[in-house]
Amino acid sequence: MYNIRVPGARRCPAAFCCNLPFPGSFAMKQGFFTITENRKLADATFLMRLEGDTEAITAPGQFVNIKLDGFYLRRPISVFDCDGKTLSIIYKVVGRGTDALSKTEPGKELDLLTGLGNGYDIGAAGKRPLLIGGGVGVPPLYWLCKKLAAQGAMPQVVLGFNSAKDVFAVAEFRAVAGPDVKIVTVDGSYSDIGGCNKGFVTDFLPASYTYFYTCGPEPMLRAVYKATSTEGEFSFEERMGCGFGACMGCSCKTVTGYKRICKDGPVLKKEEILWKN
Amino acid sequence: MEKLTETQVNTSVNLCGIRIDNPVIPASGTFGYGYEFAKLYDINELGTFSFKGTTLEPRFGNPTPRIAECTAGMINSVGLQNPGVHAVINTELPELRKVFHKPVMANISGFSVEEYAKTAELLNGEEQIGWFEVNISCPNVHGGGMSFGTDPKAAASVIDAVKRVTTKPVLAKLSPNVTDVTLIARACEAAGADGISLINTLLGMRFDVRRRKPVIANTMGGFSGPAIFPVALRMVYQTANAVNVPVVGMGGVSSAEDVIEMMMCGATAVETGAVNLVDPYASLNIVRELPVKMRELGISDIKNIIGIANK
Ligand SMILES: Cc1cc2nc3c(=O)[nH]c(=O)nc-3n(C[C@H](O)[C@H](O)[C@H](O)COP(=O)(O)OP(=O)(O)OC[C@H]3O[C@@H](n4cnc5c(N)ncnc54)[C@H](O)[C@@H]3O)c2cc1C
Ligand SMILES: Cc1cc2nc3c(=O)[nH]c(=O)nc-3n(C[C@H](O)[C@H](O)[C@H](O)COP(=O)(O)O)c2cc1C
Ligand code: FES
């Protein structure tokens, strides 16, 4: 095992951050978070709660970049929920890194970069915003939903999953948006008070909404792009080297020029998107 | 000069005629144009840094995915995304000037000899630039796509052309993807290079066994990180033995101890690459840890250890 951290300087970074010599718009922070909970929510899907300095996290749709023992690159995961000192994430085990994360015990400390990405613009929502999530694209919409409700909007939520075994966080969304939460499964295996909705999220969009926010797998994002009638915002994923704008590993072309998904995104406005091929 | 007390150690070195406070230099492509990191810490604590590989015209670079993880390292195929030399002069350097008060290393790239020379000529007027670091790992479009850095003659022609348009020290940044790196290093020295820096990334590849496709859109990319340190160290050692100009070593450097090891094997200064991406404070930590390590190892002046392995 290689050691990338200078011995004796382990806590230094977080300490420097607290008294930045150069204040700026760049709000990223590096810090150590203690895991307080790590439990399975659905098939291969886990909720992790962490305690630490969440000050840098300023907008829903931002993400954190997690260092894992034995892995060189950090793992980017969206903020599911956040308050003064706790942060929650929901992640799916898709490879060795997320598998290792799922086996990490409460009490352990993780090195996180926080406050990454631009996040959603809650100012654009209007009275009846629409939130459309798919699979592991659902998590960032929850904190967004809470923020929108807190500013007096009445969000409508459509969440898509493959099948009943994949569904998570319904109670949390219902607690905020009540009957305006619709769960859709591709195979129709899930039903609740919102009915049994078989198909894709785009088959169940409400007739009217003031603005929309979406996150999910790219095929879903493309379908949402076509199916929506208002302006809105999309959250994208890309393989990342740094996650904070230094390496140009995550660039994409947009109507308004080249953007880094990690720094200028992950949220892009509908009108600036240029789909690859 | 001040007398060295027990706790004082000297970390400064002379790099091609310019004194730097310490030998720690974030490497090109891992530090942008500096000012992003300046929002995290005072980058004046660094020796200097090498800015993102700059070309004559703006470049978007390669398609994504551009990044693949490896054991103790990573592959990138960013493809020299940069805003082009004019934007660097008009936008990036003025931003940098606000936060960095030391000479910076200008890393330049090109696809023809003329392009390298033109880029260097335009940047030569920029006062803040202390050194040129000429990345000769690009494919030579006129020479059939072979990298300038894999052919001694082509490498020399680039260095010669850059030397003609600048009075600033010129470092040739060499690719490790060659049979004998010392041949290229000597050709560059003969063409007037004031120093050699190495290594750039090793050509590597990852394949996604589930999707049955290469991880990186461009199939292959540059492998770097701690995994390549022994290869880099070996090439620094060989090059320092072969040339009389200063050698700047890099490849997998992640700690103050790595810096010392590479300097003992012939490096006058050391660049830190991928480590800046996984730990944004890494270079600062290394700068601060260096005097501690030096004391621990009984080194009072870092200059004294340069190339002790080569003697
Ligand atoms: C901004 C952003 C937010 C994200 N939010 C969430 C979330 O809230 N919940 C969740 O479950 N997942 C999320 N992801 C995806 C998550 O980052 C990947 O599933 C995870 O990195 C996979 O790691 P692994 O080691 O298990 O997989 P491996 O395939 O073994 O990973 C190998 C490398 O590829 C990278 N990688 C693999 N898949 C992805 C991917 N889809 N996106 C980016 N990098 C990838 C890994 O980070 C690692 O560097 C997000 C991705 C981004 C970019
Ligand atoms: C994301 C990334 C981008 C890079 N871009 C450049 C570049 O533009 N010009 C250059 O000369 N080297 C570039 N390099 C190579 C590094 O400067 C360095 O030579 C190499 O990564 C080895 O050091 P390391 O193992 O510490 O990363 C890049 C490396 C990385 C990881
Ligand atoms: S991942 Fe490094 S710039 Fe986005």
Side-chain angles (χ1 to χ4, degrees), chain A residues 231-253:
Chain A
E231 294 187 332
E233 298 176 14
F234 292 71
S235 181
F236 287 89
E237 282 186 1
E238 190 48 84
R239 302 246 169 179
M240 293 185 175
C242 63
F244 55 90
C247 72
M248 303 292 148
C250 65
S251 298
C252 68
K253 289 179 181 164

Side-chain angles (χ1 to χ4, degrees), chain A residues 72 241 246-249, chain B residues 26-30 50-54 67 74-81 107-109 133-137 173-174 198-202 222-229 232 250-254 271-277:
Chain A
Y72 194 64
C247 72
M248 303 292 148
Chain B
S28 179
T30 64
S50 181
F51 68 50
K52 176 66 196 169
T54 297
I67 304 287
M74 62 181 282
I75 294 176
N76 88 83
S77 76
V78 169
L80 291 171
Q81 180 177 350
N107 184 287
I108 59 166
S109 275
E133 183 179 53
V134 184
N135 175 11
I136 50 173
S137 311
K173 181 164 176 181
L174 306 190
L198 79 170
I199 61 176
N200 210 316
T201 52
L202 289 152
F223 178 34
S224 72
I228 73 166
F229 183 77
M250 78 195 91
V253 173
S254 320
E271 293 187 31
T272 50
V275 71
N276 295 301
L277 306 179

